[in-house]
Amino acid sequence: MRDLVRSHMTSASPIVIAHRGASGYLPEHTLAAKALAHGMGAHFIEQDVVLSRDGVPIVTHDIYLDSTTDVALRFPDRARPDGRFYAIDFDLQEIRRLRVHERTLVDANGQGAAFFPERFPAQPALFTLPTLSEEIALLSGLDQSRGCCTGLYIELKSPNWHRREGLDLASAVLEVLNETGYWNLPEQVFLQCFDDQTLRQLREELRAPLPMIQLIGENSWDEDSEVDYDYLRTTEGLSYIAGYAQGIGPHLTHIYLGKTASGAARFSGLVDSAHACGLQVHPYTFRRDELPKGVDGFEELMDIFFRQAGIDGVFTDFPDIVVNYLRNTRAAT
Ligand code: G3P
Ligand code: CA
């Protein structure tokens, strides 16, 4: 398996991962956004996965439904005491009745302003929430009709929270991969998670023969894991990760630290340290409407991370721009 993984993970050209689909152009995690990303030539397309009450893997970013769907209108009495509508409180047949819209920031009255105001309008809500099986059927169908081989990049969202609610997210995802024939395709599937114990469960207990990516956040974030992200970024932490994973998914700011007084980019050294441990580096997230501090444009962002930092792949809401940049870079060399 390692040899197969190595062939695409060490290819000269970095991989482009469509973050929640082509989410810069269409509402995240809709089949429309995934089809667009496929057409744009993304190498991998991301699925964030949570479970419905009846245990079906659903592709959506939050464990809540209220920031991206009309759940509060359709099921007004189904919020928990904290005011949120949890996917795990709804059966698949109820989730199928929801309509998905562009991400909004929900206020105390359940009203939401667009998170990215320049993107697709928040209304009307035209789309539905796909199951993981449905999304895989779409992407494999497009692979056949377009003659390509697009990868899945699946994130298990809040696995410890799911366990406390009585459901096993890791097993449910692997069951879908088994049913759809992706279980044994290490060239075409990455599994990613913020929780180290879940990745170890996938590798050691569930024997998943697929490359794993340890996502790295900040300890101050409310991530569903006991892991110490400051430790994971140390040499010792990276060696620990190399025991069960093939790469890391850090935030952009874990790599790029801003600029010197003379305008040169400053770096943390994380990419070199990870490479020294045999780990690939796929940071998140390239967004033209949310650039890191001191970066003036998307082209400069790509230059900093690809030409200077030497990353192996990237999550982006704008896969077309990154695919074209890498094609032009290759053509020029
Ligand atoms: O999975 C990589 C990146 O997507 C992590 O952040 O919050 O967008 O899932 P998030
Ligand atoms: Ca994700």
Short mmCIF file of all heavy atoms in Angstrom, two decimals, residues 147-179:
data_model
loop_
_atom_site.label_atom_id
_atom_site.label_comp_id
_atom_site.label_asym_id
_atom_site.label_seq_id
_atom_site.Cartn_x
_atom_site.Cartn_y
_atom_site.Cartn_z
N GLY A 147 -13.78 10.49 -18.38
CA GLY A 147 -12.53 9.78 -18.60
C GLY A 147 -11.42 10.24 -17.67
O GLY A 147 -10.29 10.47 -18.10
N CYS A 148 -11.73 10.37 -16.38
CA CYS A 148 -10.67 10.74 -15.42
C CYS A 148 -10.83 9.95 -14.12
O CYS A 148 -11.66 9.05 -14.02
CB CYS A 148 -10.64 12.24 -15.19
SG CYS A 148 -12.21 12.98 -14.83
N CYS A 149 -10.03 10.31 -13.15
CA CYS A 149 -9.92 9.50 -11.94
C CYS A 149 -9.79 10.46 -10.75
O CYS A 149 -8.69 10.69 -10.27
CB CYS A 149 -8.68 8.62 -12.11
SG CYS A 149 -8.63 7.23 -11.04
N THR A 150 -10.89 10.99 -10.31
CA THR A 150 -10.86 12.03 -9.27
C THR A 150 -10.91 11.39 -7.89
O THR A 150 -11.67 10.45 -7.67
CB THR A 150 -12.06 12.98 -9.46
OG1 THR A 150 -12.05 13.43 -10.82
CG2 THR A 150 -11.99 14.16 -8.53
N GLY A 151 -10.13 11.92 -6.97
CA GLY A 151 -10.05 11.32 -5.65
C GLY A 151 -11.05 11.88 -4.65
O GLY A 151 -11.55 13.00 -4.78
N LEU A 152 -11.33 11.05 -3.63
CA LEU A 152 -12.14 11.47 -2.48
C LEU A 152 -11.19 11.91 -1.38
O LEU A 152 -10.13 11.29 -1.19
CB LEU A 152 -13.00 10.31 -1.96
CG LEU A 152 -13.80 9.51 -2.98
CD1 LEU A 152 -14.51 8.35 -2.26
CD2 LEU A 152 -14.81 10.39 -3.69
N TYR A 153 -11.59 12.93 -0.63
CA TYR A 153 -10.74 13.39 0.49
C TYR A 153 -11.70 13.61 1.67
O TYR A 153 -12.24 14.69 1.85
CB TYR A 153 -10.03 14.69 0.07
CG TYR A 153 -8.70 14.94 0.77
CD1 TYR A 153 -7.53 15.06 0.04
CD2 TYR A 153 -8.64 15.07 2.15
CE1 TYR A 153 -6.31 15.31 0.66
CE2 TYR A 153 -7.42 15.30 2.77
CZ TYR A 153 -6.27 15.43 2.04
OH TYR A 153 -5.06 15.67 2.66
N ILE A 154 -11.89 12.53 2.45
CA ILE A 154 -13.01 12.45 3.40
C ILE A 154 -12.58 12.85 4.81
O ILE A 154 -11.65 12.26 5.37
CB ILE A 154 -13.57 11.01 3.44
CG1 ILE A 154 -14.05 10.60 2.03
CG2 ILE A 154 -14.70 10.89 4.46
CD1 ILE A 154 -14.43 9.13 1.93
N GLU A 155 -13.25 13.83 5.38
CA GLU A 155 -12.98 14.20 6.78
C GLU A 155 -14.07 13.67 7.70
O GLU A 155 -15.26 13.91 7.47
CB GLU A 155 -12.89 15.72 6.95
CG GLU A 155 -12.60 16.05 8.42
CD GLU A 155 -12.49 17.53 8.76
OE1 GLU A 155 -12.47 18.38 7.85
OE2 GLU A 155 -12.45 17.82 9.98
N LEU A 156 -13.66 12.98 8.75
CA LEU A 156 -14.60 12.53 9.77
C LEU A 156 -14.75 13.66 10.78
O LEU A 156 -13.80 14.03 11.47
CB LEU A 156 -14.07 11.26 10.45
CG LEU A 156 -14.10 10.01 9.57
CD1 LEU A 156 -12.90 9.96 8.64
CD2 LEU A 156 -14.16 8.76 10.40
N LYS A 157 -15.96 14.20 10.86
CA LYS A 157 -16.22 15.36 11.70
C LYS A 157 -16.67 14.93 13.11
O LYS A 157 -17.61 14.17 13.27
CB LYS A 157 -17.33 16.22 11.06
CG LYS A 157 -16.83 17.08 9.91
CD LYS A 157 -15.93 18.18 10.43
CE LYS A 157 -15.48 19.14 9.35
NZ LYS A 157 -14.39 20.03 9.81
N SER A 158 -15.99 15.45 14.11
CA SER A 158 -16.37 15.25 15.52
C SER A 158 -16.67 13.79 15.87
O SER A 158 -17.76 13.46 16.37
CB SER A 158 -17.59 16.13 15.86
OG SER A 158 -17.30 17.47 15.57
N PRO A 159 -15.73 12.88 15.62
CA PRO A 159 -16.00 11.46 15.88
C PRO A 159 -16.24 11.15 17.35
O PRO A 159 -17.04 10.25 17.67
CB PRO A 159 -14.72 10.77 15.38
CG PRO A 159 -13.68 11.84 15.33
CD PRO A 159 -14.39 13.11 15.05
N ASN A 160 -15.58 11.88 18.26
CA ASN A 160 -15.80 11.60 19.70
C ASN A 160 -17.19 12.04 20.13
O ASN A 160 -17.85 11.39 20.94
CB ASN A 160 -14.72 12.29 20.53
CG ASN A 160 -13.35 11.69 20.24
OD1 ASN A 160 -13.21 10.46 20.24
ND2 ASN A 160 -12.37 12.53 19.96
N TRP A 161 -17.63 13.18 19.56
CA TRP A 161 -19.00 13.65 19.84
C TRP A 161 -20.01 12.62 19.34
O TRP A 161 -20.97 12.29 20.03
CB TRP A 161 -19.21 15.02 19.17
CG TRP A 161 -20.54 15.62 19.46
CD1 TRP A 161 -20.90 16.36 20.54
CD2 TRP A 161 -21.71 15.50 18.64
NE1 TRP A 161 -22.22 16.71 20.45
CE2 TRP A 161 -22.74 16.20 19.30
CE3 TRP A 161 -22.00 14.88 17.42
CZ2 TRP A 161 -24.03 16.30 18.77
CZ3 TRP A 161 -23.27 14.96 16.91
CH2 TRP A 161 -24.26 15.68 17.58
N HIS A 162 -19.80 12.08 18.14
CA HIS A 162 -20.70 11.05 17.61
C HIS A 162 -20.74 9.83 18.54
O HIS A 162 -21.81 9.26 18.79
CB HIS A 162 -20.24 10.60 16.22
CG HIS A 162 -20.70 11.49 15.11
ND1 HIS A 162 -20.01 12.62 14.72
CD2 HIS A 162 -21.80 11.45 14.30
CE1 HIS A 162 -20.64 13.21 13.72
NE2 HIS A 162 -21.73 12.52 13.44
N ARG A 163 -19.57 9.46 19.06
CA ARG A 163 -19.51 8.29 19.96
C ARG A 163 -20.32 8.56 21.22
O ARG A 163 -21.05 7.69 21.69
CB ARG A 163 -18.05 7.96 20.28
CG ARG A 163 -17.88 6.59 20.93
CD ARG A 163 -16.42 6.19 21.03
NE ARG A 163 -15.76 6.14 19.74
CZ ARG A 163 -14.80 6.97 19.35
NH1 ARG A 163 -14.37 7.92 20.18
NH2 ARG A 163 -14.26 6.87 18.17
N ARG A 164 -20.18 9.76 21.76
CA ARG A 164 -20.96 10.10 22.97
C ARG A 164 -22.46 10.08 22.68
O ARG A 164 -23.27 9.83 23.57
CB ARG A 164 -20.54 11.48 23.52
CG ARG A 164 -19.14 11.49 24.11
CD ARG A 164 -18.89 12.74 24.94
NE ARG A 164 -18.91 13.96 24.15
CZ ARG A 164 -17.86 14.44 23.46
NH1 ARG A 164 -16.70 13.80 23.47
NH2 ARG A 164 -17.97 15.56 22.77
N GLU A 165 -22.82 10.33 21.43
CA GLU A 165 -24.23 10.29 21.02
C GLU A 165 -24.67 8.87 20.64
O GLU A 165 -25.80 8.65 20.23
CB GLU A 165 -24.47 11.23 19.83
CG GLU A 165 -24.25 12.71 20.15
CD GLU A 165 -25.40 13.33 20.92
OE1 GLU A 165 -26.56 12.96 20.64
OE2 GLU A 165 -25.14 14.17 21.80
N GLY A 166 -23.73 7.93 20.71
CA GLY A 166 -24.08 6.52 20.49
C GLY A 166 -23.81 5.99 19.09
O GLY A 166 -24.24 4.89 18.75
N LEU A 167 -23.11 6.76 18.24
CA LEU A 167 -22.86 6.31 16.87
C LEU A 167 -21.37 6.29 16.55
O LEU A 167 -20.61 7.14 17.02
CB LEU A 167 -23.59 7.22 15.86
CG LEU A 167 -25.12 7.17 15.88
CD1 LEU A 167 -25.71 8.15 14.87
CD2 LEU A 167 -25.64 5.77 15.61
N ASP A 168 -20.95 5.32 15.72
CA ASP A 168 -19.54 5.15 15.36
C ASP A 168 -19.33 5.66 13.92
O ASP A 168 -19.64 4.98 12.95
CB ASP A 168 -19.18 3.66 15.46
CG ASP A 168 -17.71 3.39 15.12
OD1 ASP A 168 -17.02 4.32 14.64
OD2 ASP A 168 -17.28 2.25 15.32
N LEU A 169 -18.81 6.86 13.83
CA LEU A 169 -18.64 7.52 12.53
C LEU A 169 -17.62 6.78 11.65
O LEU A 169 -17.84 6.58 10.45
CB LEU A 169 -18.22 8.97 12.74
CG LEU A 169 -17.96 9.83 11.50
CD1 LEU A 169 -19.17 9.87 10.59
CD2 LEU A 169 -17.56 11.25 11.92
N ALA A 170 -16.49 6.37 12.25
CA ALA A 170 -15.43 5.74 11.45
C ALA A 170 -15.94 4.47 10.77
O ALA A 170 -15.72 4.26 9.57
CB ALA A 170 -14.23 5.43 12.35
N SER A 171 -16.62 3.62 11.52
CA SER A 171 -17.12 2.37 10.93
C SER A 171 -18.15 2.65 9.84
O SER A 171 -18.17 1.97 8.80
CB SER A 171 -17.75 1.48 12.01
OG SER A 171 -16.78 1.12 12.94
N ALA A 172 -19.00 3.66 10.06
CA ALA A 172 -20.04 3.97 9.07
C ALA A 172 -19.41 4.46 7.76
O ALA A 172 -19.86 4.09 6.66
CB ALA A 172 -20.99 5.03 9.63
N VAL A 173 -18.36 5.26 7.85
CA VAL A 173 -17.70 5.76 6.64
C VAL A 173 -17.03 4.61 5.89
O VAL A 173 -17.14 4.48 4.67
CB VAL A 173 -16.69 6.87 6.99
CG1 VAL A 173 -15.75 7.16 5.82
CG2 VAL A 173 -17.42 8.15 7.41
N LEU A 174 -16.34 3.74 6.64
CA LEU A 174 -15.66 2.62 5.98
C LEU A 174 -16.65 1.67 5.32
O LEU A 174 -16.37 1.10 4.26
CB LEU A 174 -14.79 1.87 6.99
CG LEU A 174 -13.56 2.64 7.49
CD1 LEU A 174 -12.68 1.72 8.34
CD2 LEU A 174 -12.75 3.23 6.35
N GLU A 175 -17.83 1.53 5.92
CA GLU A 175 -18.85 0.68 5.30
C GLU A 175 -19.25 1.22 3.93
O GLU A 175 -19.40 0.47 2.97
CB GLU A 175 -20.08 0.62 6.24
CG GLU A 175 -20.97 -0.55 5.99
CD GLU A 175 -22.11 -0.59 7.00
OE1 GLU A 175 -21.86 -0.42 8.21
OE2 GLU A 175 -23.26 -0.77 6.55
N VAL A 176 -19.41 2.53 3.84
CA VAL A 176 -19.76 3.13 2.54
C VAL A 176 -18.63 2.92 1.54
O VAL A 176 -18.86 2.58 0.37
CB VAL A 176 -20.07 4.64 2.69
CG1 VAL A 176 -20.24 5.30 1.33
CG2 VAL A 176 -21.33 4.84 3.52
N LEU A 177 -17.39 3.10 1.98
CA LEU A 177 -16.26 2.91 1.06
C LEU A 177 -16.20 1.46 0.58
O LEU A 177 -15.88 1.18 -0.58
CB LEU A 177 -14.95 3.31 1.74
CG LEU A 177 -14.81 4.82 2.01
CD1 LEU A 177 -13.50 5.11 2.74
CD2 LEU A 177 -14.88 5.61 0.71
N ASN A 178 -16.52 0.54 1.47
CA ASN A 178 -16.57 -0.87 1.09
C ASN A 178 -17.66 -1.12 0.05
O ASN A 178 -17.42 -1.73 -0.99
CB ASN A 178 -16.82 -1.70 2.35
CG ASN A 178 -16.35 -3.13 2.19
OD1 ASN A 178 -15.62 -3.43 1.27
ND2 ASN A 178 -16.81 -4.00 3.07
N GLU A 179 -18.85 -0.59 0.32
CA GLU A 179 -19.99 -0.81 -0.58
C GLU A 179 -19.76 -0.20 -1.97
O GLU A 179 -20.26 -0.71 -2.97
CB GLU A 179 -21.26 -0.19 0.01
CG GLU A 179 -21.82 -0.94 1.21
CD GLU A 179 -22.84 -0.11 1.98
OE1 GLU A 179 -23.14 1.03 1.56
OE2 GLU A 179 -23.33 -0.61 3.00
#
